[in-house]
Amino acid sequence: MELLDLKNDIKEGKLQKLYIFTGPEQVIADTYIHKIAEISKKEVKYCYSMAEIYNTLTMVRLDGQSFVYIISEDKELLSREVYWNAILEGKLGNHIIILRYHVMDKRKKFYTTFKDYIVNFEKLSSNVVQNMILKRYKSLNEDDVFRLVNRCVGDYGRTLLSMDKVERLSKINNEDISISLNKALEENLINIDAQDVLQDFLDCMVDADYEMAFFYYYLMRSYGEAELKIITYLYNTFRAIYQIQSHGSKNVFNIARDTGLYNQIIETYLNKTNIYETEDLIDILQLLRKCETDIKSGKIDNSIVMDKCLVDIFFIYNGIYGED
C-alpha cells in the first residue's frame, strides 16, 4: 500500500479495518493516526498486543461502540495465523486496527500476507524536512531553516520539537518567530549533543532498525564518543529489556519491585518487549560483555570492535548468528 493510497482513504472517508504502519518516520505516522481517528469519529485506544484485545474485538457490543486500536511491536502476532484469519475474514467488528512496527522483514509470511495493508513511512530527506518546515512556518528565513534541520540531523520529529521551543521564545519575547529562530541558532539554544545522538542510537537498536543505528553510531564517532561508553549504555539498555520481558508482567510497580529498575525505565521500554526473543537477548548480553572485555584487554582494535558487535547483533536478531 502506498502512502498516496492512505491519503486517498482519508480524503474519501473510506477507511480500511486494518493499517500497518512501519518505517522510521513515526512522527508522520502519528499524524495519520490522528486523521484516521478524526475521520472515523472513533476513540483511540493503545494496546500491547492483539492477544490482549482479541476476545473484545470478536464480541458484539450492545452499544455499537467501536474504537481505533493502536498495537505497537506485537511480535507474537507475526506468527499467530489464527489472528490473521480473523482480520482477513472481517471478524473483528467495526473497529479499526493500526499495527505499528518500526522495522518489518519483507521475507516473512506476515509481510507477504498483509502487504496491501502496509504503509512504509521512509526517512525524509533533509530537503523534504526543510520544505515541510517552510510550508508550516511561512515567515522563516530559508538559510535559518537549513541550519536548523542540519542541527537536528535531518530528523523531522526533532526539528518540530526545536520549533516548539522557538515558538515559545517568540511568545515570551513578543517577536516574530523568524527573529526567534535566528537568535536561537546564533546563541546555540538549538544544539544536538552526543548524548542525544546516543539515545537515538539506543532507540534504533531496541527497535532493530539497524540502518539508522549505524547512521547514529557513525555520527557518534564523529563526535568522538568512546566505544566503551557506547557498549556500556547498550548493555544496560538490553539488560533492562531482558528483565522486563522475562518478568512477564505489564504492571510497572511489580516489575520495579522485583527487578530494581526505575519506573521511568520500565515505562520507556515496556512496549518494546518481544521485538527480540528472550534467548536472543541473552546472546546479545553475552556478546556485549565479550566486546567490553576485548576493548579493555586490547584484543581487538577499538576502531572495528563496535562495527563487528553491531553486525553480530543484527545476525542474532535474524537467527543467523554463529552459522558457518
Side-chain angles (χ1 to χ4, degrees):
M1 183 181 195
E2 299 295 331
L3 182 56
L4 180 60
D5 297 324
L6 173 60
K7 290 179 178 179
N8 288 336
D9 285 356
I10 292 171
K11 183 178 180 180
E12 297 170 8
K14 299 178 180 179
L15 299 174
Q16 297 181 169
K17 296 294 180 65
L18 173 71
Y19 292 99
I20 303 173
F21 291 170
T22 186
E25 289 292 354
Q26 291 301 306
V27 173
I28 303 293
D30 282 337
T31 64
Y32 283 97
I33 288 175
H34 294 317
K35 289 179 181 178
I36 288 171
E38 181 182 348
I39 294 297
S40 66
K41 295 181 172 57
K42 300 180 190 293
E43 180 184 349
V44 174
K45 288 183 175 289
Y46 291 86
C47 310
Y48 291 113
S49 67
M50 178 66 76
E52 178 189 350
I53 60 170
Y54 181 73
N55 289 336
T56 302
L57 293 174
T58 54
M59 290 171 54
V60 177
R61 293 181 61 100
L62 296 178
D63 59 9
Q65 191 174 14
S66 56
F67 303 96
V68 176
Y69 285 103
I70 314 297
I71 305 172
S72 298
E73 305 297 343
D74 185 359
K75 198 167 186 180
E76 180 189 12
L77 178 59
L78 299 178
S79 58
R80 289 292 299 275
E81 295 192 27
V82 63
Y83 294 156
W84 304 5
N85 295 332
I87 294 171
L88 294 172
E89 292 168 9
K91 295 181 178 179
L92 303 183
N94 291 320
H95 307 287
I96 295 175
I97 299 171
I98 300 177
L99 305 175
R100 301 183 72 162
Y101 293 97
H102 200 83
V103 179
M104 297 193 73
D105 190 339
K106 295 181 179 180
R107 301 168 298 177
K108 300 295 185 181
K109 185 177 179 180
F110 180 87
Y111 188 94
T112 57
T113 301
F114 289 99
K115 63 182 180 180
D116 292 337
Y117 300 90
I118 297 172
V119 182
N120 185 22
F121 292 90
E122 297 179 356
K123 181 172 175 56
L124 302 174
S125 69
S126 293
N127 285 338
V128 171
V129 174
Q130 290 167 33
N131 289 334
M132 290 176 73
I133 295 299
L134 285 168
K135 184 177 180 180
R136 184 166 180 161
Y137 303 94
K138 300 186 185 303
S139 67
L140 296 182
N141 177 276
E142 287 191 26
D143 290 338
D144 284 342
V145 173
F146 175 80
R147 293 164 64 196
L148 168 68
V149 173
N150 280 343
R151 290 204 188 175
C152 295
V153 291
D155 187 288
Y156 180 60
R158 181 173 282 162
T159 304
L160 286 179
L161 287 174
S162 296
M163 281 307 303
D164 183 61
K165 181 191 293 186
V166 171
E167 283 190 85
R168 292 198 300 270
L169 286 172
S170 173
K171 291 177 181 177
I172 291 170
N173 297 328
N174 193 26
E175 61 190 10
D176 188 81
I177 193 170
S178 62
I179 297 173
S180 295
L181 174 59
N182 185 266
K183 286 181 179 178
L185 292 167
E186 293 299 323
E187 297 172 12
N188 284 323
L189 299 179
I190 299 172
N191 199 23
I192 307 303
D193 61 23
Q195 192 65 32
D196 293 323
V197 179
L198 174 58
Q199 188 57 57
D200 287 332
F201 164 76
L202 295 173
D203 290 342
C204 288
M205 289 300 295
V206 168
D207 288 328
D209 184 355
Y210 298 108
E211 182 179 352
M212 288 305 300
F214 269 98
F215 169 79
Y216 287 120
Y217 166 61
Y218 288 117
L219 189 59
M220 281 190 292
R221 282 182 61 169
S222 71
Y223 290 169
E225 194 70 273
E227 310 280 346
L228 195 57
K229 177 182 176 181
I230 297 173
I231 284 183
T232 299
Y233 273 82
L234 197 55
Y235 179 88
N236 290 339
T237 299
F238 275 113
R239 183 172 179 270
I241 292 173
Y242 169 73
Q243 289 177 286
I244 296 167
Q245 183 165 312
S246 59
H247 190 278
S249 172
K250 297 297 184 182
N251 186 288
V252 174
F253 174 80
N254 289 342
I255 298 173
R257 180 196 61 202
D258 296 338
T259 64
L261 294 170
Y262 291 116
N263 287 8
Q264 184 179 358
I265 293 175
I266 297 169
E267 290 167 356
T268 299
Y269 293 120
L270 194 55
N271 67 338
K272 300 293 185 179
T273 56
N274 299 317
I275 296 176
Y276 294 83
E277 301 291 344
T278 302
E279 294 79 8
D280 291 344
L281 290 171
I282 294 172
D283 288 340
I284 289 170
L285 292 173
Q286 292 174 342
L287 171 67
L288 290 168
R289 275 295 185 226
K290 184 179 183 302
C291 290
E292 181 183 23
T293 302
D294 289 342
I295 289 177
K296 290 179 178 178
S297 66
K299 185 177 179 180
I300 299 180
D301 190 333
N302 281 13
S303 63
I304 64 169
V305 67
M306 272 303 300
D307 296 74
K308 183 179 183 304
C309 182
L310 296 182
V311 170
D312 284 344
I313 292 174
F314 169 76
F315 285 161
I316 289 172
Y317 175 74
N318 285 279
I320 55 177
Y321 182 64
E323 293 185 1
D324 295 332

